[in-house]
Amino acid sequence: MPQQILIVEDEPNTAEMLASYFQIQGYEVTVCGWGKEALDFVQHTLPDLIILDIRLPDIDGYEICRRLRSHRRTSQVPILFLTEKRERIDRLAGLELGAVDYVTKPFDIQELRLRVRNVLRRAQMQSVMHPITELPFASLVEDHLNQLLGEKGWAMTALAIDGLEAFADAYGFVARDDVLRAVALIVRHVAEEEGGKETFVGQLDDATFFAVTGPQEAGRIQERLTTRLQEALALFYPREDWEAMQKAKKTSIPRLSVRMGTLSAGSYPSAGKLRESVYRSLRPVI
Ligand code: CA
C-alpha cells in the first residue's frame, strides 16, 4: 500500500507542484486548501504524514496542529510544517506540539523530499511499538510470532487485562494508560528476571501482553505475574474505592480482572494460528 500524504496548502501553484511531485515518488496525495477541510479529511482518513502550511485562509497551521494533537486518534500523525522565513521557529518549539519537522519557504524540493522520507521512516519505527507502553507491537510482533512457528523449545505466557473500558469511564484515560504502563513494566521485569536475555516481551493488542521464553520458565512466570499483579491492582484504584471493593463483593466500582495462559511449541495445536491459540489459552486468574 502506498503511503498517504495530506498536503494542506492554499497557494494553488505550490499545492499542485507538491502533489504531482510526491505522486511521482509513489505516494498517494490529497490536497486541502483550507484548514477546516483538512480537519474534516482526517476524521475519515488518517494520512501517514501531513505537510502543513502555517498561513491558511481560515485556521492557521499551528491551530490545526494543536487540534490534531489533542485528539487521541490523530495525536500521533507526523506533521511537516511549511513556514515562512520571517516566522520564528521557536514558536513551533514553544507550542510543544510534537511537530516532527519544518521546511522554510521557498524550499528546495530535494530537501523537502528527504525530510518527508526521514519523517516517514521515523514514524514507521515508532509504529511497531505500542504508543502507550512502548512494547513491541503490530508487525514487529507478527514477525516474531511467524518466526516462532518454525522453532522448537519455546513457551509463551500471555496475559489479558479485562475491564479497562469501564475503568477508563470511571477514572479517565490517563488512569487507564497508567495501568497499561504498569502492567507492561511488570510483565517485562518478571519475564526478564525469569527468562533471561532471550526473552521477548510484546503486546498482541491494547490489553494483551505476552512473554516468550524457554518452556521451563513459563510456569514460574505465570505464578510470579499473578502475585505481582494482585499486589499492583490495589495501587490502580483510589484508596477508598479499593477498600470498598475488598469489603463488598458487589459494588458499582469497575473491576479489573486478569486472564492468563501458556502455549508451548509442544502444546501448540494448529499451524499458522498462533495468535488465535494464544487468545483461546487465556483463563481467569484474578
Ligand atoms: Ca499559505
Side-chain angles (χ1 to χ4, degrees):
M1 266 224 335
Q3 287 177 302
Q4 275 217 20
I5 299 180
L6 172 63
I7 296 171
V8 191
E9 167 64 89
D10 59 313
E11 290 141 326
N13 291 340
T14 313
E16 177 54 34
M17 186 271 283
L18 288 175
S20 45
Y21 182 80
F22 284 108
Q23 270 156 4
I24 289 166
Q25 304 280 324
Y27 297 99
E28 203 177 302
V29 180
T30 306
V31 174
C32 293
W34 296 74
K36 175 75 172 58
E37 199 187 337
L39 288 171
D40 288 344
F41 179 80
V42 298
Q43 293 305 311
H44 56 82
T45 310
L46 208 58
D48 296 289
L49 169 74
I50 302 176
I51 298 179
L52 182 55
D53 187 28
I54 299 285
R55 283 165 194 265
L56 294 164
D58 52 349
I59 314 168
D60 78 25
Y62 298 115
E63 177 58 22
I64 291 175
C65 180
R66 202 188 58 73
R67 290 195 201 172
L68 292 173
R69 293 294 182 246
S70 68
H71 287 96
R72 212 179 174 73
R73 191 171 159 274
T74 53
S75 65
Q76 303 295 322
V77 182
I79 294 174
L80 207 154
F81 277 112
L82 297 179
T83 67
E84 307 281 339
K85 255 207 181 79
R86 61 182 175 276
E87 277 161 338
R88 291 179 53 195
I89 296 313
D90 57 352
R91 206 180 143 194
L92 290 180
L95 286 170
E96 289 183 276
L97 295 168
V100 180
D101 210 347
Y102 64 89
V103 172
T104 309
K105 286 179 171 182
F107 51 81
D108 172 40
I109 192 78
Q110 290 297 334
E111 187 198 341
L112 183 61
R113 182 176 69 87
L114 289 176
R115 296 278 176 113
V116 164
R117 203 188 61 187
N118 290 343
V119 167
L120 286 171
R121 266 192 198 157
R122 242 180 356 240
Q124 235 162 11
M125 278 309 293
Q126 277 163 2
S127 74
V128 296
M129 300 306 203
H130 192 276
I132 296 164
T133 64
E134 293 180 355
L135 284 180
F137 189 54
S139 61
L140 201 58
V141 161
E142 292 306 328
D143 289 350
H144 195 86
L145 295 187
N146 287 333
Q147 190 193 325
L148 270 188
L149 296 176
E151 289 173 12
K152 284 178 188 157
W154 54 265
M156 179 189 284
T157 309
L159 173 166
I161 308 288
D162 298 318
L164 283 165
E165 237 172 85
F167 185 87
D169 285 343
Y171 302 114
F173 283 115
V174 174
R176 187 203 60 180
D177 291 355
D178 283 346
V179 170
L180 289 174
R181 270 190 288 270
V183 172
L185 215 63
I186 290 171
V187 176
R188 185 179 257 164
H189 281 167
V190 169
E192 279 169 11
E193 278 165 28
E194 297 294 328
K197 280 205 168 68
E198 296 298 296
T199 305
F200 182 83
V201 175
Q203 259 178 270
L204 287 179
D205 59 48
D206 283 341
T208 310
F209 301 81
F210 69 89
V212 177
T213 56
Q216 310 88 314
E217 290 95 33
R220 177 96 182 109
I221 288 177
Q222 184 156 343
E223 213 172 278
R224 281 195 57 198
L225 278 178
T226 310
T227 314
R228 290 287 302 277
L229 286 168
Q230 237 145 12
E231 291 162 3
L233 221 50
L235 307 173
F236 298 153
Y237 287 89
R239 216 175 99 196
E240 62 272 22
D241 284 10
W242 177 254
E243 282 167 2
M245 273 167 69
Q246 300 314 297
K247 279 190 201 125
K249 267 226 166 337
K250 274 200 165 179
T251 67
S252 59
I253 300 162
R255 269 172 208 277
L256 291 172
S257 55
V258 182
R259 285 172 300 147
M260 271 192 234
T262 304
L263 284 186
S264 61
S267 73
Y268 160 61
S270 56
K273 299 219 162 159
L274 186 51
R275 185 181 269 271
E276 289 82 347
S277 305
V278 176
Y279 285 126
R280 270 203 305 274
S281 76
L282 299 169
R283 300 283 177 272
V285 293
I286 298 175

